[in-house]
């Protein structure tokens, strides 16, 4: 902990004068790295299952696949406490408004995982006769990670969480990968 | 209760059909005209029949509304087909069978068949913006001919 504080203190204004870049005038590189590291390791998903992919999402949270090994098991009942929205299922016209409202209620920074073929592109519903299914949730909200499958295996969702961590911190975290029981 | 007596009663206001698409389990199938469907439903309601489902089928020249009733004690089923005619209107039976209310609203928004006398005509399943879409109607020329499938269009 002392080392962390030292690192933060060592970031001086004189050494990191970068007024040409976009964003904040003052940059605390070490602190931002630390914060991003913390964010990546405490991704709280929203309790939000629309269709059958949600069953796989539940098993990710349970003991067998155990997403708590990676800090992503705290399914929050409120969008205001969530970091990740896992869109697990078919989004239809009536549901679209709710999905967008929930996304807008989440505080920044926020990420979205589109889980399953329905959320990616409409899946089996992307046909000519389709009249109610939104073909891809990325038409409504920006999506960070896509997980293909119908439904995807729980390991695939875990991999999506790793990908998201990679996106946030810039590197894949060397977690201890316990062998599956 | 005697099912024969009920059939004698409904034979006065309906025509028995021999449909080629008859399903296993449907013991009696008949074609009813739109004017008689309320009397038909009243007779079955008095004889303790329950409404199993109400749906529609797109045939040429007119779409048909299909009612299925069942007597719970012996599982005796009666299926009634009503062709809705040119004005696409069928009298409601939702004041006789309360359960028909949601079925009729569903048929209304999926097939565009109007139910005369139905009080609540809000959309039930589809989005508000889909009013007038009628997604379960077949494309032009794709609907089967009613006479060829064994229905009597009255």
């Amino acid at each position: 902990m002392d080392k962390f504080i030292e690192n933060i203190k060592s970031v001086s204004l004189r050494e990191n004068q970068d007024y040409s870049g976009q964003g904040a005038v003052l940059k605390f590189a070490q602190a931002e790295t630390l914060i991003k590291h913390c964010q990546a390791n405490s991704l709280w998903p929203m309790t939000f299952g629309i269709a059958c992919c949600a069953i796989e999402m539940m098993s990710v949270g349970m003991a067998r696949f155990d997403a708590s090994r990676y800090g992503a098991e705290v399914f929050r009942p409120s969008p205001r406490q969530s970091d990740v929205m896992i869109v697990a299922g078919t989004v239809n016209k009536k549901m679209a408004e709710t999905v967008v409202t929930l996304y807008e209620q989440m505080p920044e920074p926020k990420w979205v995982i589109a889980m399953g073929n329905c959320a990616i592109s409409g899946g089996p519903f992307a046909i000519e006769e389709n009249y109610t299914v939104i073909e891809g949730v990325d038409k409504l909200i920006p999506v960070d990670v896509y997980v293909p499958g119908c439904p995807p295996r729980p390991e695939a969702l875990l991999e999506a969480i790793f990908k998201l961590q990679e996106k946030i911190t810039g590197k894949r975290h060397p977690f201890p990968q316990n062998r599956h029981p | 209760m005697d099912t024969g007596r009920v059939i004698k009663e409904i034979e006065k206001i309906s025509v028995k059909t021999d449909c080629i698409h008859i399903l296993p389990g449907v013991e009696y199938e008949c074609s009813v005209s739109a004017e008689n469907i309320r009397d038909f439903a009243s007779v079955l309601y008095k004889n303790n029949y329950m409404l199993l489902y109400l749906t529609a089928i797109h045939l040429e020249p007119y779409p048909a509304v299909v009612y299925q009733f069942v007597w719970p004690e012996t599982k005796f089923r009666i299926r009634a087909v009503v062709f809705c005619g040119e004005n696409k209107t069928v009298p409601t039976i939702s004041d006789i069978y309360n359960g028909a209310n949601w079925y009729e609203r569903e048929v209304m928004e999926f097939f565009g068949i109007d139910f005369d006398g139905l009080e609540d005509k809000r959309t039930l399943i589809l989005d508000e913006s889909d009013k007038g879409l009628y997604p379960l109607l077949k494309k032009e020329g794709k609907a089967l001919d009613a006479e060829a499938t064994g229905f009597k269009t009255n």
Side-chain angles (χ1 to χ4, degrees):
Chain A
M1 180 54 82
D2 288 341
K3 204 179 178 185
F4 272 138
I5 295 170
E6 271 178 30
N7 282 340
I8 295 167
K9 280 183 179 174
S10 71
V11 182
S12 67
L13 284 173
R14 193 162 49 78
E15 283 171 7
N16 288 287
Q17 281 179 349
D18 184 18
Y19 300 110
S20 60
Q22 293 174 342
V25 175
L26 303 181
K27 295 221 170 181
F28 299 94
Q30 299 282 358
E32 275 181 15
T33 310
L34 177 64
I35 288 168
K36 278 178 180 171
H37 188 84
C38 296
Q39 282 171 346
N41 288 289
S42 63
L43 290 169
W44 289 4
M46 183 155 50
T47 311
F48 178 61
I50 312 178
C52 35
C53 282
I55 306 292
E56 305 294 313
M57 189 175 75
M58 288 172 216
S59 70
V60 165
M62 289 294 111
R64 190 176 174 89
F65 294 97
D66 200 13
S68 65
R69 288 179 294 171
Y70 315 109
E73 89 288 9
V74 199
F75 281 87
R76 304 311 297 173
S78 161
R80 303 196 194 280
Q81 301 166 355
S82 319
D83 303 307
V84 190
M85 175 193 247
I86 302 173
V87 184
T90 322
V91 184
N92 53 31
K93 271 187 188 173
K94 271 190 160 176
M95 198 68 206
E97 201 183 329
T98 314
V99 171
V100 173
T101 307
L102 286 172
Y103 177 74
E104 284 172 353
Q105 283 178 341
M106 283 163 65
E108 290 278 359
K110 52 191 170 185
W111 298 277
V112 178
I113 296 175
M115 185 185 181
N117 289 349
C118 294
I120 293 172
S121 67
F125 302 103
I127 52 169
E128 195 189 340
E129 290 85 0
N130 170 28
Y131 55 89
T132 189
V133 174
I134 307 281
E135 293 176 4
V137 75
D138 51 2
K139 289 185 178 169
L140 303 170
I141 52 177
V143 176
D144 295 286
V145 183
Y146 296 86
V147 193
C150 188
R153 289 278 309 162
E155 293 95 330
L157 185 56
L158 282 179
E159 180 63 29
I161 291 167
F162 301 153
K163 281 282 173 200
L164 193 56
Q165 289 173 343
E166 201 178 327
K167 184 177 180 178
I168 296 165
T169 59
K171 63 175 181 182
R172 194 182 172 92
H173 282 223
F175 285 117
Q177 298 288 326
N178 296 340
R179 187 166 282 278
H180 201 268
Chain B
M1 201 178 293
D2 186 14
T3 51
R5 191 173 54 76
V6 176
I7 286 176
K8 266 180 199 165
E9 232 176 303
I10 61 175
E11 264 178 350
K12 292 173 197 163
I13 48 177
S14 68
V15 185
K16 191 174 187 309
T17 52
D18 296 316
C19 182
I20 57 168
H21 291 306
I22 199 150
L23 292 168
V26 178
E27 271 90 359
Y28 189 84
E29 191 178 64
C30 55
S31 176
V32 190
S33 66
E35 300 89 57
N36 286 337
I37 185 62
R38 284 182 60 82
D39 295 339
F40 188 89
S42 303
V43 168
L44 292 178
Y45 186 76
K46 275 177 210 151
N47 288 293
N48 293 333
Y49 277 71
M50 65 180 222
L51 180 71
L52 202 63
Y53 68 75
L54 190 166
T55 183
I57 178 170
H58 188 195
L59 295 169
E60 288 298 334
Y62 308 121
V65 184
V66 182
Y67 303 78
Q68 185 155 317
F69 302 93
V70 65
W71 186 35
E73 281 180 37
T74 58
K75 313 285 188 293
F76 183 77
R77 287 153 195 262
I78 293 174
R79 189 154 59 150
V81 182
V82 179
F83 280 87
C84 57
E86 235 171 90
N87 53 357
K88 283 198 164 189
T89 306
V90 174
T92 179
I93 61 161
S94 62
D95 49 345
I96 302 163
Y97 283 96
N98 277 329
N101 192 328
W102 279 14
Y103 287 129
E104 287 182 353
R105 278 168 69 187
E106 190 187 346
V107 166
M108 207 164 67
E109 65 192 73
F110 276 96
F111 290 90
I113 295 169
D114 195 24
F115 283 89
D116 196 19
L118 181 64
E119 285 176 16
D120 192 355
K121 291 196 175 181
R122 290 173 298 155
T123 55
L124 179 67
I125 292 172
L126 293 183
D127 193 65
E128 284 284 329
S129 63
D130 284 339
K131 239 174 191 172
L133 183 67
Y134 309 138
L136 292 193
L137 287 184
K138 305 246 183 242
K139 280 180 196 157
E140 198 79 24
K142 289 273 183 182
L144 290 173
D145 189 61
E147 300 281 352
T149 50
F151 291 107
K152 289 190 176 61
T153 53
N154 298 325

